Amino acid sequence: MLTSRRRFALLSSTLAGTVAGAGVLAAVVATAASAAAGCRVDYAVTNQWQGGFGASVTITNLGDPIDRWSLVWSYTAGQAVTQAWNATVTQSGAQVTAVDAGYNGAIPTNGTASFGFNGSWNNSSNPVPASFVLNGTSCTGAVGTPTTGAPPPTTTAPPPPTTTPPPPAGNAKQMEDLNRGLVSVRSGSANLVSWRLLGTEAASTGFNVYRGGTKVTATPITNSTNYLDSGAAANASYTVRAVVNGTEQAASEASSPSRTGTSTCRSRHRPAGTRRTTRPSATSTATGSTRSCSSGTRTTPRTTRRRA
């Protein structure tokens, strides 16, 4: 997961985001106010994958209470917002405008409002915006009086949203909340241990395999989510631990009991623009197949599904 954070002190009010397509529509009206205004904005790239990324934006109102808000920023590397929630987001060229969703327009002094969105990028550079404009006032790092602008848009506030984000648009897929799905399948005199690569993990993530409380891998397994444990008892229980930057992470759930018959091979490859996985498996019998299941062997790519 890649996370980029940058905080900004702004002259104005708060923000939010819902969708306006991959990069069209006009900019939204800026807000006027005569009261003292100021705020801090946290823009974070929460995750990033081939061709896409997710981001969250949180604004803290440091000035007088406000009733409505709009936030404007510009991208410098061709990024485009494709979907958003908890605000209405439009984009015209490089300029992006986020307007409150009605139910979150009012922000008291020292209160916050947040929104999130998914976007596309060029797989080369995804810099954080250099500046923001809140309610028509450029970010100056001080509390003051914003310049006069057009009044905020008037809409009827819709009911609050559910806790589940809106379904993805376009070619996006619905994401399931999955765990490692760790299983042990009996194959001859060995156990084939297989698990999932999570959508937040890089394809190069390594894994250590434990039988009971004993580590059975000399070095972390990379580019595979299978391990063939030769000579182990059929009823052995397994866990796996991801290794990130040389540090072993928390243990997974314990494996399901070993089964006899066929064994399921899983790959860790993620197609571009996807996050989490449910996937068809390549199946081979213990007595031979054109696809063998063994330690460190990459097998069939998995189809993945994702949700904002």
Side-chain angles (χ1 to χ4, degrees):
M1 176 189 298
L2 297 178
T3 302
S4 301
R5 293 184 176 272
R6 184 167 181 175
R7 308 180 87 185
F8 298 87
L10 310 176
L11 282 180
S12 250
S13 316
T14 31
L15 30 104
T18 286
V19 17
V24 284
L25 302 185
V28 178
V29 65
T31 307
S34 58
C39 65
R40 182 181 68 246
V41 171
D42 293 287
Y43 177 106
V45 176
T46 55
N47 52 72
Q48 191 164 274
W49 58 94
Q50 188 77 8
F53 70 97
S56 65
V57 182
T58 301
I59 186 167
T60 303
N61 179 25
L62 303 177
D64 292 341
I66 58 173
D67 295 326
R68 304 299 302 273
W69 51 262
S70 68
L71 173 70
V72 179
W73 71 89
S74 294
Y75 284 124
T76 59
Q79 301 99 312
V81 175
T82 58
Q83 180 192 18
W85 51 94
N86 293 335
T88 299
V89 178
T90 58
Q91 183 166 353
S92 179
Q95 181 173 295
V96 181
T97 303
V99 175
D100 67 80
Y103 54 81
N104 60 353
I107 309 176
T109 301
N110 294 323
T112 62
S114 300
F115 67 91
F117 62 90
N118 291 330
S120 61
W121 67 302
N122 60 13
N123 296 320
S124 176
S125 177
N126 188 13
V128 172
S131 63
F132 292 92
V133 174
L134 255 302
N135 290 356
T137 300
S138 298
C139 307
T140 65
V143 177
T145 302
T147 58
T148 301
T154 301
T155 58
T156 301
T162 62
T163 56
T164 303
N171 295 325
K173 301 293 188 297
Q174 190 75 17
M175 183 184 73
E176 295 179 359
D177 186 10
L178 303 176
N179 58 19
R180 289 280 180 210
L182 186 65
V183 295
S184 171
V185 179
R186 193 65 174 171
S187 178
S189 60
N191 292 331
L192 176 68
V193 185
S194 185
W195 61 94
R196 294 186 180 99
L197 178 72
L198 302 182
T200 56
E201 295 171 334
S204 59
T205 301
F207 291 92
N208 285 328
V209 180
Y210 285 77
R211 184 195 320 119
T214 303
K215 185 166 69 172
V216 295
T217 50
T219 59
I221 296 173
T222 57
N223 298 316
S224 178
T225 53
N226 302 306
Y227 177 75
L228 190 65
D229 189 16
S230 300
N235 62 350
S237 178
Y238 295 90
T239 58
V240 296
R241 292 173 180 260
V243 179
V244 180
N245 295 327
T247 302
E248 197 174 60
Q249 307 301 302
S252 69
E253 74 286 352
S255 63
S256 301
S258 179
R259 301 188 299 271
T260 58
T262 61
S263 59
T264 302
C265 307
R266 295 172 180 161
S267 154
R268 304 179 38 199
H269 174 69
R270 286 183 295 157
T274 59
R275 293 183 59 200
R276 256 196 172 146
T277 68
T278 56
R279 72 282 182 210
S281 302
T283 302
S284 65
T285 66
T287 57
S289 171
T290 56
R291 294 176 184 171
S292 64
C293 298
S294 61
S295 175
T297 301
R298 298 191 68 176
T299 54
T300 309
R302 300 176 297 179
T303 302
T304 64
R305 304 188 294 172
R306 102 177 266 286
R307 178 181 67 191

